[in-house]
Amino acid sequence: MNIPLIDPFARAINYLRVSVTDRCDFRCVYCMSENMSFLPKAELLTLEELDRMCSVFVGMGVEKLRITGGEPLVRKGIMTFFESMTRHLESGALKELTLTTNGSQLRKYAAALAACGVRRINVSLDTLDDAKFTQVTRWGRLAQVLDGITAAKEAGLRVKINVVALKGFNESELFSITDWCAREGHDLTFIEVMPMGDLGNEDRLDQYWSLKDLRARLRERFTVTELTERTGGPARYVRLEETGQKIGFITPLTHNFCESCNRVRLTCTGELYMCLGQEDMADLRAPLRASGDNAVLEQAIRAAILRKPKGHDFDYSRQKVDGQMTRHMSHTGG
Ligand code: SAM
Ligand code: SF4
């Protein structure tokens, strides 16, 4: 039996988020620039390498695997990977296999994902307005995403809608999105925009809509009960008494959630980021490719976990973006 992964601050690491591609069929304004250059294929972990990497993590106590990107469902052959992860669900070692997607490919893959043992998915959707959707995603089509969400529902997948709160953009849709989720039976989480991506991009501060403000707006129409439930991540939850809806808030900038952090992130090139808000990472591709013996990789993973920092340095508080990251969210996978 393997010794579980425990970091220097006594946090058990049992949640791995894996970015399987840096590519995407959208170009969301807060995530990518319009003219992105993507990694050459040889840089990426192959599907077999992703399988081996994830299996080693599962062997070391990872119980939850979230597949993300870029857009995970545009990676060629990705269903082979999901199918191969099913064996860890069946053995009981893995408790949850899930993904975060922009929804564009769900009509094609929802049933297959459900067959692989995926039960819940997160779909990112910032607006229900056709023109605004194209504005924020640049390349996306709302109808296709809504149809994908319908397909997910038909396949029996539980859907959580992730909305990035954007000042002056979807402020006016707060109630219509909330009502839509209530009608459709989707969970809903609001995310505060983070200072990722291009350094010096002033837009990111202009786009900032604090969730504190958003929550206050919700209280204008609903009776809001704070829930104590925690998932080890940055989300806090409330219940809207009138509808019974549970709403999540991810506020990485205004609240410190680091003390309970149970997760690490693997990029599509095999870099392990121990914290979303720090530059430090460990290259796991080299040990993976250096030897067919998993012990070498396990050793590299343990050494990396021992470098997991206490917390991140994001700070918007002085009207200036401190602790700003130079890498895009599509690199670390959000
Ligand atoms: N393509 C998939 C999607 O959009 O759901 C998965 C990858 S995407 C990078 C993961 C999440 O990160 C999405 O919910 C997206 O809205 C969020 N995201 C991207 N850039 C962000 C930023 N600067 N601040 C906050 N959230 C961001
Ligand atoms: Fe693509 Fe997701 Fe980034 Fe939008 S947020 S550009 S859908 S990776």
Side-chain angles (χ1 to χ4, degrees), residues 24 26-28 30-32 69-71 102 330:
C24 187
F26 292 1
R27 292 290 180 276
C28 301
Y30 47 72
C31 179
M32 293 194 181
E71 173 48 40
N102 66 21
S330 54

Side-chain angles (χ1 to χ4, degrees), residues 110-125:
L113 287 166
C116 289
V118 174
R119 295 287 166 261
R120 306 187 299 169
I121 60 171
N122 289 358
V123 182
S124 306
L125 178 61

Side-chain angles (χ1 to χ4, degrees), residues 23-56:
R23 288 166 198 259
C24 187
D25 51 346
F26 292 1
R27 292 290 180 276
C28 301
V29 293
Y30 47 72
C31 179
M32 293 194 181
S33 56
E34 186 145 28
N35 302 306
M36 292 289 287
S37 40
F38 294 108
L39 295 162
K41 209 173 152 218
E43 295 281 312
L44 300 193
L45 297 183
T46 65
L47 294 173
E48 293 74 19
E49 286 172 333
L50 279 169
D51 180 342
R52 193 177 145 209
M53 187 75 90
C54 292
S55 300
V56 166

